[in-house]
């Protein structure tokens, strides 16, 4: 198995409820290491740029508004098959479909306020990590 890096975002609904530590613990318990992390507040324009791939989808404006509604924690997770492992720990986007014990099953409030974001492929992971972090900030 390959060592990978992936971007993880703990979204405003989770930071608002002080769930950051509990969510990070789930990633670490699954064998992922946090190699970069910061708490930031995105503007709506920054959220729009980050989620530009969804620009034509009906939920785009609502997503950007939500992501700018409060602080987020952006982090780089590293480990064996980090992308798929992170997605497994997050659970299905719809919390009703998420497996028990996953972040979204335990903490998500709805499909829109689903507590976390994670990269879906190596190419997007590289782009998403570069959006938030310089090489100097990643200390694996």
């Amino acid at each position: 198995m390959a060592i990978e890096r992936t971007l993880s975002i703990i979204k405003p609904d989770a930071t608002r409820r002080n769930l950051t530590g509990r969510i990070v613990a789930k990633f670490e318990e699954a064998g992922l290491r946090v190699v970069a992390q910061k708490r930031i507040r995105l503007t709506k324009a920054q959220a729009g740029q980050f989620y530009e791939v969804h620009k034509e989808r009906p939920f785009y404006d609502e997503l950007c508004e939500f992501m700018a509604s409060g602080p987020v924690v952006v982090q780089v997770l590293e480990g064996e098959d980090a992308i798929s492992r992170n997605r497994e720990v997050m659970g299905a986007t719809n919390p009703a479909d998420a497996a028990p014990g996953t972040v979204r099953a335990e903490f998500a409030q709805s499909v829109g306020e689903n507590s976390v974001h994670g990269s879906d492929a190596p190419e997007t992971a590289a782009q998403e990590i570069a959006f938030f972090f310089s090489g100097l900030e990643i200390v694996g």
Side-chain angles (χ1 to χ4, degrees):
M1 290 190 209
I3 300 294
E4 293 178 327
R5 288 182 174 164
T6 189
L7 183 81
S8 167
I9 302 176
I10 301 175
K11 294 181 178 181
D13 63 298
T15 62
R16 190 177 303 117
R17 293 177 290 139
N18 288 328
L19 297 173
T20 302
R22 292 171 66 188
I23 292 171
V24 171
K26 285 190 167 289
F27 294 130
E28 291 179 331
E29 289 164 6
L32 297 167
R33 284 184 343 129
V34 177
V35 296
Q37 183 182 68
K38 56 188 167 186
R39 184 181 186 94
I40 61 172
R41 178 93 186 235
L42 292 170
T43 65
K44 188 173 179 189
Q46 290 167 326
Q49 185 181 359
F50 181 76
Y51 285 108
E52 191 168 3
V53 67
H54 297 303
K55 191 170 187 152
E56 301 305 317
R57 304 194 68 182
F59 59 82
Y60 174 76
D61 285 333
E62 185 179 343
L63 173 62
C64 295
E65 193 76 40
F66 167 63
M67 291 300 290
S69 72
V72 298
V73 174
V74 292
Q75 55 193 356
V76 179
L77 303 177
E78 180 181 82
E80 288 187 13
D81 293 322
I83 295 165
S84 62
R85 186 171 294 187
N86 177 41
R87 296 184 72 74
E88 185 177 306
V89 172
M90 288 190 311
T93 302
N94 184 342
D97 299 331
T102 62
V103 171
R104 289 175 172 151
E106 289 189 25
F107 304 124
Q109 296 180 304
S110 66
V111 173
E113 294 188 4
N114 61 20
S115 300
V116 286
H117 164 91
S119 304
D120 62 2
E123 301 77 26
T124 52
Q127 292 169 347
E128 291 179 349
I129 289 168
F131 186 88
F132 290 107
F133 295 96
S134 75
L136 292 173
E137 295 175 295
I138 302 172
V139 291

